Coordinates of all heavy atoms in Angstrom, one line a residue:
M5 N 124.1 104.5 80.2 CA 122.9 104.4 79.4 C 123.2 104.2 77.9 O 122.5 103.5 77.3 CB 122.1 105.7 79.6 CG 120.9 105.7 78.7 SD 119.5 104.9 79.3 CE 118.8 106.2 80.3
P6 N 124.2 104.9 77.3 CA 124.5 104.7 75.9 C 124.8 103.2 75.6 O 124.3 102.7 74.5 CB 125.7 105.6 75.6 CG 125.7 106.6 76.7 CD 125.1 105.9 77.9
D7 N 125.5 102.5 76.4 CA 125.8 101.1 76.2 C 124.6 100.3 76.2 O 124.4 99.4 75.4 CB 126.8 100.6 77.2 CG 128.2 101.1 77.0 OD1 128.5 101.6 75.9 OD2 129.0 101.1 78.0
V8 N 123.7 100.6 77.1 CA 122.4 99.8 77.2 C 121.6 100.1 76.0 O 121.0 99.2 75.4 CB 121.7 100.2 78.5 CG1 120.3 99.5 78.6 CG2 122.5 99.8 79.7
K9 N 121.4 101.3 75.6 CA 120.6 101.7 74.4 C 121.2 101.0 73.2 O 120.5 100.5 72.3 CB 120.6 103.2 74.3 CG 119.7 103.6 73.2 CD 119.6 105.1 73.1 CE 118.8 105.5 71.8 NZ 118.9 107.0 71.6
E10 N 122.5 101.0 73.1 CA 123.2 100.4 71.9 C 122.9 98.9 71.9 O 122.7 98.3 70.9 CB 124.7 100.7 72.0 CG 125.5 100.0 70.8 CD 127.0 100.3 70.9 OE1 127.4 101.2 71.6 OE2 127.7 99.6 70.2
Y11 N 123.0 98.3 73.1 CA 122.7 96.8 73.2 C 121.3 96.5 72.7 O 121.1 95.6 71.9 CB 122.8 96.4 74.6 CG 122.5 95.0 74.9 CD1 123.4 94.0 74.6 CD2 121.3 94.6 75.4 CE1 123.1 92.6 74.8 CE2 120.9 93.3 75.6 CZ 121.9 92.3 75.3 OH 121.5 91.0 75.5
I12 N 120.3 97.3 73.1 CA 118.9 97.0 72.7 C 118.8 97.3 71.2 O 118.1 96.5 70.5 CB 117.9 97.8 73.5 CG1 117.9 97.4 75.0 CG2 116.5 97.7 72.9 CD1 117.0 98.2 75.9
S13 N 119.4 98.3 70.7 CA 119.3 98.7 69.3 C 119.9 97.6 68.4 O 119.4 97.2 67.4 CB 120.1 100.0 69.0 OG 120.0 100.4 67.7
E14 N 121.0 97.0 68.9 CA 121.6 95.9 68.2 C 120.7 94.7 68.2 O 120.7 93.9 67.2 CB 123.0 95.5 68.7 CG 124.1 96.6 68.4 CD 125.4 96.3 69.0 OE1 125.6 95.1 69.5 OE2 126.3 97.1 68.9
M15 N 120.0 94.4 69.3 CA 119.1 93.3 69.4 C 117.9 93.5 68.5 O 117.3 92.6 68.0 CB 118.7 93.1 70.8 CG 119.8 92.7 71.7 SD 120.8 91.3 71.2 CE 119.7 90.0 71.4
I16 N 117.5 94.8 68.2 CA 116.4 95.1 67.3 C 116.9 94.7 65.9 O 116.1 94.0 65.1 CB 116.0 96.6 67.3 CG1 115.3 96.9 68.7 CG2 115.1 96.9 66.1 CD1 115.1 98.4 68.9
D17 N 118.1 95.1 65.5 CA 118.6 94.8 64.2 C 118.8 93.3 64.0 O 118.6 92.8 62.9 CB 119.9 95.5 64.0 CG 119.7 97.0 63.8 OD1 118.6 97.4 63.3 OD2 120.7 97.8 64.0
D18 N 119.3 92.6 65.0 CA 119.6 91.2 64.9 C 119.4 90.5 66.2 O 120.3 90.4 67.1 CB 121.1 91.0 64.4 CG 121.5 89.5 64.2 OD1 120.6 88.7 64.3 OD2 122.7 89.3 64.0
P19 N 118.2 89.9 66.4 CA 117.9 89.3 67.7 C 118.8 88.2 68.1 O 118.9 87.8 69.2 CB 116.4 88.8 67.5 CG 115.9 89.6 66.4 CD 117.1 89.9 65.5
E20 N 119.5 87.6 67.1 CA 120.5 86.5 67.4 C 121.9 87.0 67.7 O 122.8 86.2 67.9 CB 120.5 85.6 66.2 CG 119.1 85.0 65.8 CD 118.6 84.1 66.9 OE1 119.3 83.3 67.6 OE2 117.4 84.2 67.2
A21 N 122.1 88.3 67.7 CA 123.4 88.9 67.9 C 123.9 88.6 69.2 O 123.2 88.5 70.2 CB 123.4 90.4 67.7
I22 N 125.2 88.3 69.3 CA 125.9 88.0 70.5 C 126.7 89.3 70.9 O 127.5 89.8 70.1 CB 126.8 86.8 70.4 CG1 126.0 85.6 70.1 CG2 127.6 86.6 71.7 CD1 126.8 84.3 69.8
Y23 N 126.4 89.8 72.1 CA 127.1 91.0 72.6 C 128.2 90.6 73.5 O 128.2 89.6 74.1 CB 126.1 91.9 73.3 CG 126.5 93.3 73.4 CD1 126.4 94.1 72.3 CD2 127.0 93.8 74.6 CE1 126.8 95.5 72.4 CE2 127.4 95.1 74.7 CZ 127.3 96.0 73.6 OH 127.7 97.3 73.6
D24 N 129.3 91.4 73.5 CA 130.4 91.1 74.4 C 129.9 90.9 75.9 O 129.4 91.8 76.5 CB 131.4 92.3 74.3 CG 132.6 92.1 75.1 OD1 132.7 91.1 75.9 OD2 133.5 93.0 75.0
P25 N 130.2 89.8 76.4 CA 129.7 89.5 77.8 C 130.3 90.4 78.8 O 129.8 90.5 79.9 CB 130.0 88.0 78.0 CG 131.0 87.7 77.0 CD 130.8 88.6 75.8
E26 N 131.5 91.0 78.6 CA 132.1 91.8 79.5 C 131.2 93.0 79.9 O 131.3 93.6 81.0 CB 133.5 92.3 79.0 CG 134.5 91.2 79.0 CD 135.9 91.7 78.6 OE1 136.1 92.9 78.6 OE2 136.7 90.8 78.2
I27 N 130.4 93.5 78.9 CA 129.5 94.6 79.2 C 128.6 94.3 80.4 O 128.2 95.2 81.1 CB 128.8 95.1 78.0 CG1 128.3 96.5 78.2 CG2 127.7 94.2 77.6 CD1 128.0 97.3 77.0
W28 N 128.2 93.1 80.5 CA 127.2 92.7 81.5 C 127.9 92.9 82.9 O 127.2 93.0 83.9 CB 126.8 91.3 81.4 CG 125.8 91.2 80.2 CD1 126.1 91.0 78.9 CD2 124.4 91.3 80.3 NE1 125.0 90.9 78.2 CE2 123.9 91.1 79.0 CE3 123.5 91.5 81.3 CZ2 122.6 91.2 78.7 CZ3 122.1 91.6 81.0 CH2 121.7 91.4 79.7
D29 N 129.2 92.9 83.0 CA 129.9 93.2 84.3 C 130.0 94.6 84.6 O 130.5 95.0 85.7 CB 131.3 92.5 84.2 CG 131.2 91.0 84.2 OD1 130.2 90.4 84.6 OD2 132.2 90.4 83.6
T30 N 129.6 95.5 83.7 CA 129.7 96.9 84.0 C 128.7 97.3 85.1 O 127.5 96.9 85.1 CB 129.3 97.8 82.8 OG1 130.2 97.4 81.7 CG2 129.4 99.3 83.0
P31 N 129.2 98.0 86.2 CA 128.3 98.3 87.3 C 127.0 99.0 86.8 O 127.0 99.9 86.1 CB 129.1 99.2 88.2 CG 130.5 98.9 87.9 CD 130.5 98.5 86.4
G32 N 125.9 98.4 87.2 CA 124.6 99.0 86.9 C 124.0 98.7 85.6 O 122.8 99.0 85.3
F33 N 124.7 97.9 84.7 CA 124.3 97.6 83.4 C 122.9 96.9 83.4 O 122.0 97.3 82.7 CB 125.3 96.8 82.6 CG 124.9 96.5 81.2 CD1 125.0 97.4 80.2 CD2 124.3 95.3 80.9 CE1 124.6 97.1 78.9 CE2 123.9 95.0 79.6 CZ 124.0 95.9 78.6
T34 N 122.8 95.8 84.2 CA 121.6 95.0 84.1 C 120.4 95.8 84.7 O 119.3 95.6 84.2 CB 121.8 93.7 84.9 OG1 122.3 93.9 86.2 CG2 122.8 92.8 84.1
L35 N 120.7 96.6 85.7 CA 119.6 97.4 86.3 C 119.0 98.4 85.2 O 117.8 98.5 85.0 CB 120.0 98.1 87.5 CG 119.0 99.0 88.2 CD1 117.8 98.2 88.7 CD2 119.6 99.7 89.4
V36 N 119.9 99.1 84.6 CA 119.5 100.1 83.6 C 118.9 99.4 82.4 O 117.9 99.8 81.8 CB 120.7 101.0 83.1 CG1 120.3 101.9 82.0 CG2 121.2 101.8 84.3
L37 N 119.4 98.2 82.0 CA 118.9 97.4 80.9 C 117.4 97.1 81.2 O 116.5 97.2 80.4 CB 119.7 96.2 80.6 CG 119.2 95.2 79.6 CD1 119.1 95.9 78.2 CD2 120.0 94.0 79.5
S38 N 117.2 96.6 82.5 CA 115.9 96.3 82.9 C 114.9 97.4 82.8 O 113.8 97.3 82.3 CB 115.9 95.7 84.3 OG 114.6 95.5 84.8
W39 N 115.3 98.6 83.3 CA 114.5 99.8 83.3 C 114.2 100.2 81.9 O 113.0 100.5 81.5 CB 115.1 101.0 84.0 CG 115.2 100.8 85.5 CD1 114.4 100.1 86.3 CD2 116.1 101.5 86.4 NE1 114.8 100.3 87.6 CE2 115.8 101.1 87.7 CE3 117.1 102.4 86.2 CZ2 116.5 101.6 88.8 CZ3 117.8 102.9 87.2 CH2 117.5 102.5 88.5
L40 N 115.2 100.3 81.1 CA 115.0 100.8 79.7 C 114.2 99.8 78.9 O 113.4 100.2 78.1 CB 116.4 101.0 79.0 CG 116.4 101.6 77.6 CD1 115.5 102.9 77.6 CD2 117.8 101.9 77.1
A41 N 114.5 98.5 79.0 CA 113.7 97.5 78.3 C 112.2 97.6 78.6 O 111.3 97.5 77.8 CB 114.2 96.1 78.6
K42 N 111.9 97.8 79.9 CA 110.5 97.9 80.3 C 109.9 99.1 79.7 O 108.8 99.1 79.1 CB 110.4 98.1 81.8 CG 109.0 98.2 82.4 CD 109.0 98.4 83.8 CE 107.5 98.6 84.3 NZ 107.4 99.2 85.6
K43 N 110.5 100.3 79.7 CA 110.0 101.5 79.1 C 109.9 101.3 77.6 O 108.9 101.8 77.0 CB 110.8 102.7 79.4 CG 110.7 103.1 80.9 CD 111.3 104.4 81.2 CE 111.0 104.8 82.6 NZ 109.6 105.0 82.9
W44 N 110.8 100.7 76.9 CA 110.8 100.5 75.5 C 109.6 99.6 75.1 O 108.9 99.9 74.2 CB 112.1 99.8 75.1 CG 112.2 99.3 73.7 CD1 111.9 100.0 72.5 CD2 112.5 97.9 73.3 NE1 112.0 99.1 71.5 CE2 112.4 97.9 71.9 CE3 112.8 96.8 74.0 CZ2 112.6 96.7 71.2 CZ3 113.0 95.6 73.3 CH2 113.0 95.6 71.9
N45 N 109.4 98.5 75.9 CA 108.3 97.6 75.6 C 107.0 98.4 75.8 O 106.0 98.2 75.0 CB 108.3 96.4 76.6 CG 107.5 95.3 76.1 OD1 106.5 95.5 75.4 ND2 107.8 94.1 76.5
E46 N 106.8 99.2 76.8 CA 105.6 100.0 77.0 C 105.4 100.9 75.8 O 104.2 101.0 75.3 CB 105.7 100.8 78.3 CG 105.6 100.0 79.6 CD 106.0 100.8 80.8 OE1 106.3 102.0 80.7 OE2 105.9 100.2 81.9
R47 N 106.4 101.6 75.3 CA 106.3 102.5 74.2 C 105.8 101.7 72.9 O 105.0 102.2 72.2 CB 107.6 103.2 73.9 CG 108.0 104.2 75.0 CD 107.3 105.5 74.8 NE 107.7 106.4 75.8 CZ 107.4 107.7 75.7 NH1 106.8 108.2 74.7 NH2 107.8 108.5 76.7
C48 N 106.5 100.5 72.7 CA 106.1 99.7 71.5 C 104.7 99.3 71.6 O 104.0 99.2 70.6 CB 107.1 98.6 71.4 SG 108.7 99.0 70.8
R49 N 104.2 98.9 72.8 CA 102.8 98.4 72.9 C 101.8 99.4 72.6 O 100.7 99.1 72.1 CB 102.6 97.8 74.3 CG 103.2 96.5 74.5 CD 102.9 96.0 76.0 NE 103.7 94.8 76.2 CZ 103.1 93.7 76.5 NH1 101.8 93.6 76.6 NH2 103.8 92.6 76.6
K50 N 102.2 100.7 72.8 CA 101.3 101.8 72.5 C 101.1 101.9 70.9 O 100.0 102.3 70.5 CB 101.8 103.1 73.0 CG 101.6 103.2 74.5 CD 102.1 104.5 75.1 CE 102.1 104.6 76.6 NZ 102.6 105.8 77.1
L51 N 102.1 101.6 70.2 CA 102.1 101.6 68.7 C 101.5 100.4 68.1 O 100.9 100.4 67.1 CB 103.4 101.9 68.1 CG 104.0 103.3 68.3 CD1 105.4 103.3 67.7 CD2 103.1 104.3 67.7
A52 N 101.7 99.2 68.7 CA 101.3 97.9 68.2 C 99.9 97.6 68.7 O 99.3 98.4 69.4 CB 102.3 96.9 68.6
H53 N 99.4 96.5 68.2 CA 98.1 96.0 68.7 C 98.2 95.8 70.2 O 99.0 95.1 70.7 CB 97.8 94.7 68.0 CG 97.7 94.9 66.5 ND1 96.7 95.6 65.9 CD2 98.5 94.4 65.5 CE1 96.9 95.5 64.6 NE2 98.0 94.9 64.3
R54 N 97.3 96.4 70.9 CA 97.3 96.3 72.4 C 97.2 94.9 72.9 O 97.7 94.6 74.0 CB 96.2 97.2 73.0 CG 96.5 98.6 72.8 CD 95.5 99.5 73.6 NE 95.8 100.9 73.4 CZ 96.5 101.6 74.2 NH1 96.9 101.1 75.3 NH2 96.7 102.9 74.0
R55 N 96.6 94.0 72.2 CA 96.5 92.7 72.7 C 97.7 91.8 72.5 O 97.8 90.7 72.9 CB 95.3 92.0 72.1 CG 94.0 92.6 72.6 CD 92.8 91.9 71.9 NE 92.6 92.6 70.7 CZ 92.0 92.1 69.6 NH1 91.4 91.0 69.7 NH2 91.9 92.8 68.5
S56 N 98.7 92.4 71.7 CA 99.8 91.6 71.4 C 100.8 91.5 72.5 O 101.1 92.5 73.2 CB 100.6 92.3 70.2 OG 101.8 91.6 70.0
K57 N 101.3 90.3 72.8 CA 102.4 90.1 73.8 C 103.7 90.4 73.2 O 104.7 90.6 73.9 CB 102.3 88.7 74.4 CG 101.1 88.5 75.2 CD 101.1 87.1 75.8 CE 99.8 86.9 76.6 NZ 99.8 85.6 77.3
N58 N 103.8 90.5 71.9 CA 105.1 90.7 71.2 C 104.9 91.8 70.2 O 104.8 91.6 69.0 CB 105.6 89.4 70.5 CG 105.8 88.3 71.4 OD1 106.5 88.5 72.5 ND2 105.4 87.1 71.1
P59 N 104.9 93.1 70.7 CA 104.6 94.2 69.7 C 105.7 94.3 68.6 O 105.4 94.8 67.5 CB 104.7 95.4 70.6 CG 105.3 95.0 71.9 CD 105.1 93.5 72.0
E60 N 106.9 93.7 68.9 CA 107.9 93.8 67.8 C 107.5 93.1 66.5 O 108.0 93.3 65.5 CB 109.2 93.3 68.3 CG 109.3 91.9 68.8 CD 108.8 91.7 70.2 OE1 108.4 92.6 70.9 OE2 108.9 90.5 70.7
Q61 N 106.5 92.2 66.7 CA 106.0 91.5 65.5 C 105.3 92.4 64.5 O 105.2 92.2 63.3 CB 105.0 90.4 65.9 CG 105.7 89.2 66.6 CD 104.7 88.2 67.0 OE1 103.5 88.5 67.3 NE2 105.1 86.9 67.0
Y62 N 104.7 93.5 65.1 CA 103.9 94.4 64.3 C 104.5 95.7 64.0 O 104.0 96.6 63.3 CB 102.6 94.7 65.1 CG 101.8 93.5 65.3 CD1 101.8 92.8 66.6 CD2 101.0 92.9 64.4 CE1 101.1 91.7 66.8 CE2 100.2 91.7 64.6 CZ 100.3 91.1 65.8 OH 99.6 90.0 66.1
L63 N 105.8 95.9 64.5 CA 106.4 97.2 64.3 C 107.7 97.0 63.4 O 108.4 96.0 63.6 CB 106.8 97.8 65.6 CG 105.7 98.1 66.6 CD1 106.3 98.7 67.9 CD2 104.7 99.1 66.0
T64 N 108.0 98.0 62.6 CA 109.2 97.9 61.8 C 110.4 98.2 62.8 O 110.2 98.7 63.9 CB 109.2 99.0 60.7 OG1 109.3 100.3 61.4 CG2 108.0 98.9 59.8
K65 N 111.6 97.9 62.3 CA 112.8 98.2 63.1 C 112.9 99.7 63.4 O 113.3 100.1 64.5 CB 114.0 97.7 62.4 CG 114.1 96.2 62.4 CD 115.3 95.7 61.7 CE 115.3 94.1 61.7 NZ 116.5 93.6 61.1
E66 N 112.5 100.5 62.4 CA 112.5 101.9 62.6 C 111.6 102.4 63.7 O 111.9 103.2 64.6 CB 112.2 102.7 61.3 CG 113.3 102.6 60.3 CD 113.3 101.2 59.5 OE1 112.3 100.5 59.6 OE2 114.4 100.8 59.0
Q67 N 110.4 101.8 63.7 CA 109.4 102.1 64.8 C 109.9 101.7 66.1 O 109.8 102.4 67.1 CB 108.1 101.5 64.5 CG 107.3 102.1 63.3 CD 106.1 101.3 63.0 OE1 106.1 100.1 62.8 NE2 105.0 102.0 62.8
Q68 N 110.5 100.5 66.2 CA 111.1 100.0 67.4 C 112.2 100.9 68.0 O 112.3 101.2 69.2 CB 111.6 98.6 67.3 CG 110.5 97.5 67.1 CD 111.1 96.2 66.9 OE1 111.8 95.7 67.8 NE2 110.8 95.5 65.8
K69 N 113.0 101.4 67.0 CA 114.1 102.3 67.4 C 113.6 103.6 67.9 O 114.1 104.2 68.8 CB 115.1 102.4 66.3 CG 116.0 101.1 66.2 CD 117.0 101.3 65.1 CE 117.9 100.0 65.1 NZ 119.0 100.1 64.2
A70 N 112.5 104.1 67.3 CA 111.9 105.3 67.7 C 111.3 105.1 69.1 O 111.5 106.0 70.0 CB 110.8 105.7 66.8
C71 N 110.7 104.0 69.4 CA 110.3 103.7 70.8 C 111.4 103.7 71.8 O 111.3 104.2 72.9 CB 109.6 102.3 70.8 SG 108.0 102.3 70.0
L72 N 112.6 103.1 71.3 CA 113.7 103.1 72.2 C 114.3 104.5 72.5 O 114.6 104.8 73.6 CB 114.8 102.2 71.5 CG 116.2 102.1 72.2 CD1 116.0 101.5 73.6 CD2 117.1 101.2 71.4
D73 N 114.3 105.3 71.4 CA 114.8 106.7 71.7 C 113.9 107.4 72.7 O 114.4 108.1 73.6 CB 114.8 107.5 70.3 CG 115.9 107.0 69.4 OD1 116.9 106.4 69.9 OD2 115.8 107.3 68.2
A74 N 112.6 107.3 72.5 CA 111.6 107.9 73.4 C 111.8 107.3 74.8 O 111.7 108.1 75.8 CB 110.2 107.7 72.9
A75 N 111.9 106.0 74.9 CA 112.1 105.4 76.3 C 113.3 105.9 76.9 O 113.4 106.1 78.1 CB 112.1 103.9 76.1
A76 N 114.4 106.0 76.2 CA 115.7 106.4 76.8 C 115.6 107.9 77.2 O 116.1 108.2 78.3 CB 116.8 106.3 75.7
A77 N 115.0 108.7 76.5 CA 114.8 110.1 76.9 C 113.9 110.2 78.2 O 114.3 110.9 79.1 CB 114.1 110.9 75.8
E78 N 112.9 109.4 78.2 CA 112.0 109.3 79.4 C 112.8 108.9 80.6 O 112.8 109.4 81.7 CB 110.8 108.4 79.2 CG 109.9 108.4 80.4 CD 108.7 107.4 80.2 OE1 108.5 107.0 79.0 OE2 108.1 107.1 81.2
L79 N 113.6 107.8 80.5 CA 114.4 107.3 81.6 C 115.4 108.3 82.1 O 115.6 108.5 83.3 CB 115.1 106.0 81.2 CG 115.9 105.3 82.3 CD1 115.0 105.0 83.5 CD2 116.5 104.0 81.7
I80 N 116.1 109.0 81.1 CA 117.1 110.0 81.5 C 116.4 111.1 82.3 O 116.9 111.6 83.3 CB 117.8 110.5 80.2 CG1 118.7 109.5 79.7 CG2 118.6 111.8 80.6 CD1 119.3 109.8 78.3
R81 N 115.2 111.5 81.9 CA 114.5 112.6 82.6 C 114.2 112.1 84.0 O 114.4 112.8 85.0 CB 113.2 112.9 81.9 CG 113.3 114.0 80.8 CD 112.0 114.5 80.4 NE 111.0 113.5 80.0 CZ 110.9 112.9 78.8 NH1 111.8 113.2 77.9 NH2 110.0 112.0 78.6
E82 N 113.7 110.9 84.2 CA 113.4 110.4 85.5 C 114.6 110.3 86.4 O 114.6 110.6 87.6 CB 112.7 109.0 85.4 CG 111.3 109.1 84.8 CD 110.6 107.7 84.7 OE1 111.2 106.7 85.2 OE2 109.6 107.7 84.1
I83 N 115.7 109.8 85.8 CA 117.0 109.7 86.6 C 117.5 111.1 87.0 O 117.8 111.3 88.2 CB 118.0 109.0 85.8 CG1 117.6 107.5 85.7 CG2 119.4 109.1 86.5 CD1 118.5 106.7 84.7
T84 N 117.5 112.0 86.1 CA 118.0 113.4 86.4 C 117.1 114.2 87.3 O 117.6 115.1 88.0 CB 118.4 114.2 85.1 OG1 117.2 114.3 84.3 CG2 119.5 113.5 84.3
Q85 N 115.8 113.9 87.2 CA 114.9 114.7 88.1 C 114.6 114.0 89.4 O 113.9 114.5 90.2 CB 113.6 114.9 87.3 CG 113.7 115.8 86.1 CD 112.4 115.9 85.3 OE1 111.4 115.3 85.7 NE2 112.5 116.7 84.3
G86 N 115.2 112.8 89.6 CA 115.1 112.1 90.9 C 113.7 111.5 91.1 O 113.3 111.3 92.2
R87 N 113.0 111.3 90.0 CA 111.6 110.7 90.2 C 111.8 109.2 90.3 O 112.7 108.6 89.9 CB 110.8 111.0 88.9 CG 110.5 112.5 88.8 CD 109.7 112.8 87.6 NE 108.7 111.9 87.2 CZ 108.3 111.8 85.9 NH1 108.7 112.5 85.0 NH2 107.3 110.9 85.7
P88 N 110.8 108.6 91.0 CA 110.9 107.1 91.2 C 110.7 106.4 89.9 O 110.0 106.8 89.0 CB 109.7 106.8 92.1 CG 108.8 108.1 92.2 CD 109.7 109.2 91.6
L89 N 111.5 105.3 89.8 CA 111.5 104.5 88.6 C 110.6 103.3 88.8 O 110.7 102.6 89.8 CB 112.9 104.0 88.2 CG 113.9 105.1 88.0 CD1 115.3 104.6 87.9 CD2 113.6 105.8 86.7
H90 N 109.6 103.1 88.0 CA 108.7 101.9 88.1 C 109.1 100.9 87.2 O 109.3 101.0 86.1 CB 107.2 102.2 87.9 CG 106.7 103.6 88.3 ND1 107.2 104.8 87.8 CD2 105.8 103.9 89.1 CE1 106.6 105.8 88.3 NE2 105.7 105.3 89.1

């Protein structure tokens, strides 16, 4: 999870950043990335204009990172408590 969170955080700072492609070969990386990105997007939409398809346009990088922190904490809780991931 830390690598996935770091990846998203780097993309918040620089959407054009290129990340080491070897990380994509880490077992489970893309699955966790998908789960965390979904939760992050849901959190950001709650802060941004609800009609926006791109909430990152309306949020500062700090707000986006706060959404990421909250999404990561939620995902960790779901994984450790064995709750279904949607």
Side-chain angles (χ1 to χ4, degrees):
M5 173 87 84
D7 290 340
V8 174
K9 185 177 172 192
E10 180 181 344
Y11 177 80
I12 294 174
S13 183
E14 288 179 10
M15 297 307 288
I16 291 170
D17 287 335
D18 182 7
E20 302 296 320
I22 297 174
Y23 201 76
D24 183 354
E26 289 182 19
I27 194 159
W28 287 88
D29 293 334
T30 304
F33 180 82
T34 54
L35 180 60
V36 175
L37 177 62
S38 174
W39 288 337
L40 185 55
K42 180 181 177 202
K43 291 194 174 296
W44 169 56
N45 196 334
E46 289 170 358
R47 294 278 180 163
C48 285
R49 283 179 187 242
K50 288 179 183 178
L51 288 179
H53 301 289
R54 292 190 177 262
R55 289 177 277 159
S56 171
K57 292 184 181 180
N58 297 315
E60 61 274 4
Q61 291 177 329
Y62 300 98
L63 301 176
T64 66
K65 289 180 181 182
E66 290 77 20
Q67 288 172 314
Q68 291 180 56
K69 287 184 178 186
C71 291
L72 179 59
D73 290 340
E78 180 182 347
L79 182 57
I80 289 169
R81 275 192 309 276
E82 288 181 8
I83 291 170
T84 58
Q85 294 174 359
R87 291 177 41 203
L89 300 167
H90 324 60

